[in-house]
Amino acid sequence: MAGAVSAGKHSLDLSPAQQITVVVLCALTALISHMALAVFNDGVRPFMLDFIQGNSTRNATTAVSFGLSAGFIFGLGAPMALSTGVLNPWLLFLPTDVLGILSPKKWIAPLLGGAWGAVIIFGLNGANEAAHDLPVDFLTAMQEMSTPILFLFTLFPVLAITRQFGRLRGAVAGVVELALVIVTMKLWPDVFPGAPAMAVGVVTLIGFAVAKDMRQRRAERAEKAAAEADGQEDGTSRQDAPVDDPMQSLFSASAARLRRHLPIFMVLGAGVCLLAQMHVFGGGEATSFLIADGDYSGAAQVDFYRVFGFIPLIATTALASGAYAIAGFTFVYPVGYLLPSPWLALLAGAAIFAVEVLALSWIGKMLGRLPSVRDSSEHLRNAISESLWLAILFGSLLAANTMGGGLGILIVGGLYLLNEAMGRVVVRMAAAPAAVLVGGVLLNLLHWLDLFTPVKG
């Protein structure tokens, strides 16, 4: 594990139980999306309030969902699944967002979702086998992305600390993470070396944020006490009139709406946790390669640390829109990876979602009292995106070199740059893997035209 991570050991040829789980879960998520109870795409969730209130049509909301999801589905979800042999949420849940909202009738939504699950099961495996038989095997080449993604992803807490708390603390965190990676590679070669480093980095960031909020609250209490003392000396007193907070009313209504549908959320949590327990699904880019390599403990740690970047975003958008996240706060991912039994996964997933939905109001109130923690979450998300963007771009160029040498780099890098020049027709995160797929097809066409000889080895 200390060196390059070997991906692609998994096959997309799923067992009957795994196939049934995928189809049923896709049907369920499409139904939930149709009911506007939850969507996977964080960018779509804010638009769901207008849809729920009848201020936006189903077609208009579908167009928004498709526009924000298509690039991730075809540019990231499909390439990652093909290169690792592991399913991912962009490939499963973003399409069911679109299909569920698109469906004109409630009973049609699960049929469309289940059909998409069947397409994934049978179509993706066929495409995977066909691609591996080509003269230029670009899917095997895409496994070159694994090492950059895993190791550069380790740095996201350092970036977040630097952005929020300055260069000095960021530099110290970077040195500590580097030292931990080296020590882990030396002493525990079977452990993913980025896991301890990420743990320390995330805990350090949250510690800095909580300490800052505590100092701020103490200062505010001291200022308030001083103001009250001055008022008593002047013989005056001040009472604040109660003020109606429209946002608080909206949050309360949204939380109540989600609680009313608690049973279906518990079924959803059980299904997602079960899929993770089957080890044919990874919740993130780095996680997919770790699952493919059989490192379920490392995958659980990576997804667990990633949760802290998304809790405030998911909680606030759910409370503001009345629509939750398909994977919740994603705690079901790491729990599922580690559980030994599918029955335990079903029970644990249902329990986790029940706690999350019931605790939404409390989480919203707590986040209101901890502004620095909210800011840390935003910095973590940005850092995750930034580190993964660089890792995926670098890994895609390595894949291009593996499958086509200089010509491969020219095609893949050129397609990426062209996408940038055209205003990012494909979202930046997905542009490089999509370019590898297109480049692989072009190199095979050139080979059949006797204009290119595949790179050996």
Side-chain angles (χ1 to χ4, degrees):
M1 184 59 65
V5 177
S6 58
K9 295 180 181 178
H10 274 237
S11 169
L12 287 167
D13 185 14
L14 306 182
S15 70
Q18 293 165 347
Q19 293 176 356
I20 292 171
T21 301
V22 170
V23 171
V24 171
L25 187 56
C26 285
L28 177 62
T29 53
L31 173 63
I32 290 174
S33 173
H34 174 85
M35 298 169 66
L37 291 176
V39 289
F40 181 78
N41 194 321
D42 294 322
V44 174
R45 202 171 301 116
F47 294 92
M48 297 303 289
L49 179 62
D50 284 339
F51 178 63
I52 293 169
Q53 294 179 342
N55 298 324
S56 178
T57 65
R58 186 171 293 278
N59 288 339
T61 309
T62 300
V64 170
S65 180
F66 181 79
L68 293 175
S69 302
F72 288 101
I73 296 169
F74 301 108
L76 187 61
M80 289 296 296
L82 289 168
S83 62
T84 63
V86 176
L87 301 175
N88 58 69
W90 307 286
L91 188 62
L92 293 183
F93 303 145
L94 287 181
T96 57
D97 279 359
V98 178
L99 293 172
I101 299 172
L102 173 67
S103 174
K105 299 291 184 180
K106 187 175 181 178
W107 63 270
I108 296 178
L111 296 180
L112 293 176
W116 175 254
V119 169
I120 294 300
I121 291 169
F122 301 107
L124 209 61
N125 189 50
N128 184 57
E129 293 178 353
H132 282 304
D133 291 334
L134 293 172
V136 179
D137 185 358
F138 53 88
L139 294 187
T140 299
M142 287 184 72
Q143 294 171 16
E144 295 289 338
M145 293 193 299
S146 63
T147 301
I149 287 176
L150 289 172
F151 282 86
L152 287 177
F153 183 73
T154 301
L155 291 174
F156 78 86
V158 176
L159 301 181
I161 291 171
T162 305
R163 295 277 168 76
Q164 186 171 7
F165 296 104
R167 299 175 183 175
L168 178 59
R169 292 184 181 183
V172 172
V175 171
V176 170
E177 282 210 5
L178 177 61
L180 284 170
V181 169
I182 294 172
V183 169
T184 304
M185 293 173 70
K186 183 69 176 178
L187 300 181
W188 305 289
D190 294 330
V191 176
F192 170 49
M198 281 188 285
V200 171
V202 171
V203 170
T204 301
L205 174 65
I206 294 174
F208 286 155
V210 171
K212 182 178 179 181
D213 284 333
M214 293 299 102
R215 289 194 300 269
Q216 183 65 30
R217 293 191 67 180
R218 284 196 296 268
E220 290 174 354
R221 284 196 296 266
E223 184 179 347
K224 183 178 179 180
E228 290 177 351
D230 290 341
Q232 290 175 356
E233 291 177 1
D234 295 339
T236 60
S237 62
R238 179 177 170 230
Q239 293 183 344
D240 294 329
V243 178
D244 291 333
D245 185 352
M247 286 303 297
Q248 188 60 43
S249 299
L250 174 62
F251 281 15
S252 298
S254 296
R257 177 178 188 264
L258 296 176
R259 287 195 298 270
R260 286 196 301 271
H261 294 89
L262 184 62
I264 196 170
F265 282 118
M266 293 176 68
V267 174
L268 174 63
V272 176
C273 196
L274 174 63
L275 186 64
Q277 192 277 334
M278 290 178 166
H279 300 150
V280 296
F281 173 88
E285 300 88 346
T287 314
S288 293
F289 285 106
L290 289 169
I291 293 291
D293 199 55
D295 187 0
Y296 309 130
S297 175
Q301 292 180 73
V302 168
D303 271 354
F304 179 75
Y305 305 139
R306 188 173 183 155
V307 166
F308 297 99
F310 290 88
I311 287 179
L313 172 67
I314 293 171
T316 52
T317 54
L319 289 169
S321 67
Y324 197 41
I326 287 294
F329 293 137
T330 69
F331 281 115
V332 288
Y333 293 164
V335 171
Y337 302 149
L338 297 177
L339 288 177
S341 163
W343 300 110
L344 287 176
L346 290 170
L347 294 174
I352 289 170
F353 261 51
V355 171
E356 290 180 2
V357 172
L358 293 174
L360 265 179
S361 293
W362 178 81
I363 293 172
K365 293 176 182 177
M366 288 299 298
L367 291 173
R369 299 173 184 172
L370 298 170
S372 295
V373 174
R374 291 201 313 272
D375 292 344
S376 294
S377 172
E378 183 175 351
H379 285 295
L380 277 174
R381 291 197 309 276
N382 291 336
I384 288 171
S385 297
E386 189 173 352
S387 59
L388 284 175
W389 163 73
L390 177 61
I392 290 173
L393 175 59
F394 184 62
S396 296
L397 291 175
L398 287 178
N401 182 64
T402 298
M403 68 183 185
L407 180 59
I409 292 176
L410 173 64
I411 293 174
V412 172
L415 288 172
Y416 179 86
L417 293 174
L418 181 62
N419 183 68
E420 289 285 306
M422 295 172 63
R424 297 177 187 165
V425 178
V426 180
V427 291
R428 200 177 201 186
M429 188 77 75
V436 174
L437 291 183
V438 175
V441 172
L442 289 176
L443 289 175
N444 277 290
L445 290 174
L446 291 174
H447 170 71
W448 288 326
L449 294 172
D450 201 24
L451 297 175
F452 170 73
T453 301
V455 176
K456 299 298 182 183

